[in-house]
Amino acid sequence: TCSDSRVIPEMIFNASLGELFVIRTAGNVINEGELATVEYAIEHLKIKRIIVLGHTHCGAVHASIHKEKGRYLDPILKRIQCNIGDICDELEASKINAIKEASKIKEKFPQYEGIIESKIYDIETSLVY
């Protein structure tokens, strides 16, 4: 999920400590470190489901749409821009970004037999869809 403090997977999914293995990164961008963590979760923890959880009002998606820059943010923003193309609607962009990042996991772990999916968390309603 995103690093946004409003997106707390344990609360969203009503999970106890230790029930979820969570990777948090701005804009749900999955790079080498995140892939290594996914690999660990698949191989050693034998997880059965991977969810790339985007959310409404994502600052990283907003920054990507508005072509903002940052010394260290640029790789994340460029990746999101590549995922969303010319989409200007932030909700639609968040959905597409999560879908494409989930697809990257599927591509990198074709042997994985569990579920890999993308979802959106609505900050205002607390719904996941």
Side-chain angles (χ1 to χ4, degrees):
T1 186
C2 189
S3 298
D4 191 308
S5 64
R6 300 169 295 175
V7 182
I8 305 165
E10 293 80 4
M11 291 177 70
I12 293 167
F13 295 108
N14 197 28
S16 299
L17 292 178
E19 278 190 83
L20 303 177
F21 187 76
V22 179
I23 304 168
R24 296 179 69 122
T25 179
N28 305 308
V29 172
I30 300 163
N31 290 310
E32 296 301 312
E34 291 79 19
L35 287 172
T37 305
V38 168
E39 181 179 41
Y40 173 79
I42 289 171
E43 299 295 325
H44 298 280
L45 302 177
K46 307 297 184 200
I47 61 167
K48 306 275 189 251
R49 172 178 254 149
I50 297 170
I51 300 172
V52 176
L53 185 64
H55 67 95
T56 57
H57 309 293
C58 180
V61 169
H62 175 86
S64 294
I65 288 171
H66 296 284
K67 311 286 191 257
E68 294 179 18
K69 302 240 181 257
R71 182 175 175 190
Y72 299 105
L73 279 175
D74 277 355
I76 290 172
L77 299 180
K78 286 179 184 176
R79 171 62 162 278
I80 295 169
Q81 288 169 354
C82 181
N83 284 343
I84 66 174
D86 293 332
I87 296 171
C88 292
D89 178 86
E90 289 185 21
L91 178 56
E92 188 62 25
S94 289
K95 289 178 185 177
I96 296 297
N97 186 57
I99 289 168
K100 293 212 176 171
E101 291 302 297
S103 293
K104 181 176 182 182
I105 295 171
K106 288 177 186 177
E107 173 188 312
K108 297 293 183 178
F109 299 98
Q111 79 288 357
Y112 179 64
E113 294 178 1
I115 297 167
I116 301 173
E117 60 187 336
S118 63
K119 300 274 186 190
I120 294 292
Y121 172 66
D122 188 317
I123 288 174
E124 293 162 341
T125 65
S126 298
L127 295 175
V128 175
Y129 53 91

